[in-house]
Amino acid sequence: MLPFKSLILIDKSSTTPVFLQLSDQLGQLIRKGMLTPGQRLPGSRQLGELLTLNRQTIVAAYDEGMAQGWLESRSGSGTYVAAHVPEVKPQPLVLEGRDGISQGYAISNKQPGYAFESINFLNRPVLTNQAGLRLDDGFPDIRLAPMDELSRAYRSYFRWGNPQKHFGYGDTKGNRLLREQLSIHLNETRGLRTTPDNLLITRGSIMGLHLTCQVLLRLGDVVVTGETNWAGATMNIQKAGALVLTVPIDQHGMDMDALEILCQKQRSVARPIRMVFVNPHHHYPTTVTLRADRRVRLLQLSEQYGFVVLEDDYDYDFHYLSRPILPLASADQHGMVVYVGSLTKSVAPAFRIGYVVAPTAVIDELARLRRIIDRQGDPMLEFAIGQLLKTGDLKRHFRKALRTYHARRDHFCELVSTELSDIIQFNKPDGGMAVWALFDPSIDMELMAQRADQEGLSLSNGIAHNPPGQRLNGTRLGFASSTEDELEQSVAVLKKVLKIRS
């Protein structure tokens, strides 16, 4: 007889009924080959005494096992492992190592028993909101998020309307209220000319970029980005099978002369450019704004050479001059621009609301693809954000956050200029939530980030921003998520770390 008392462990504090725990564990013993086809199990009274369980619990567990097909009852004889269960050779409890010494054996849960391709370019650190001091990638301060207003909007979702409509399946394109209100907001603030049917609501801008690349790109297509670029966009372009070519980024954004030369070259070899990816408002990671004449020329080149402009406008709501420059999409007369944005940085990263703006034919196709990935978004969150746009609460939050981040930008830039000007070069950004900082070439960025972490300050070493074969020695220093006092402490730590020479 198997040592059932050792092999079966019952947790009476668990919410799972005891008879189901027992039935499941008997099934596991059968699947592992420790109980074999046709093997007789102990009687209910005997097993109950072994496990200190009520006999009726054992009977219920056996009944469940029979219902699942693992066990069978033989009249007048007892309960057996079903004869039709295939025989499994049990794994040995110990294996003999190469040196002849017995080693403990455990089935690995790390590697599968089948082959699959691991894509190296998808290896990218996951950025999270760190506790303590931080100069992050440019995250919002979640302490400013309009939580009370969101709570009221959530409660109204439960109180109003038809529950069947609220809690059933919704539109794959997103909640209608949010699309209506967001369309109005984008038209008023960005000069777009949209209807709700021109919008697809996504779980953050990264989902919008993924869907767009999958729909518009094919294996072997050519896509142009800046030499420095957001890794999330580059990876999605590569995952769609496209070839990525780059052009320089200077103090005025993407070099349009270089882009035109590349367009001519690719046309001559019969591999025309299919798409150009840009952040014209604030280029990532350098934060520079694409100059007005270059914006016009980019749209002209798009019409001339027939490529899609994929415009990522990740932080449009936070611009510190009198009026931000309107998106490329606002001047698009020929339907060449796909505009991707997000409310994530405007509210809080946990609220995954992004959007794609494009001609309705493209939106319809994006929605069809989205349906096989994610049937729909979060109806409650989308309704709540739609309500905040409708009531004006979200716009008031934008204004409040803008004032706060503006003050923090000014304070942080003054601190860096005063305390670290001999080590860090930067231009005060016109908007956004981070400063692009170039460090003295003598600074080891990896070592600096490690030492800062030891001192309680989290920041990126910037290596991910280096183009192939280049060492920029720069990184993004986010200021928006920290108070002015926290920024002062962060700069003090950074100053201390940078004065240490390796």
Side-chain angles (χ1 to χ4, degrees), residues 21 43 65 118 120 219 247 290 312 331 341 347 358 367 383 406 418 425 451 458 491 494-495:
Q21 294 183 50
S118 180
N120 289 332
L219 183 65
V247 293
L290 187 63
D312 177 20
V347 183
F383 173 86
H406 191 171
T418 302
Q425 294 181 359
R451 287 174 170 169
S458 173
V491 170
L494 193 56
K495 183 178 179 180

Side-chain angles (χ1 to χ4, degrees), residues 191-230:
L192 304 186
R193 297 172 299 280
T194 68
T195 71
D197 293 331
N198 292 119
L199 275 78
L200 173 73
I201 305 302
T202 59
R203 294 184 189 267
S205 61
I206 190 72
M207 184 180 189
L209 290 172
H210 176 77
L211 294 172
T212 302
C213 289
Q214 292 298 316
V215 167
L216 299 184
L217 298 178
R218 292 294 176 266
L219 183 65
D221 279 348
V222 178
V223 178
V224 177
T225 72
E227 278 186 338
T228 55
N229 193 48
W230 180 40

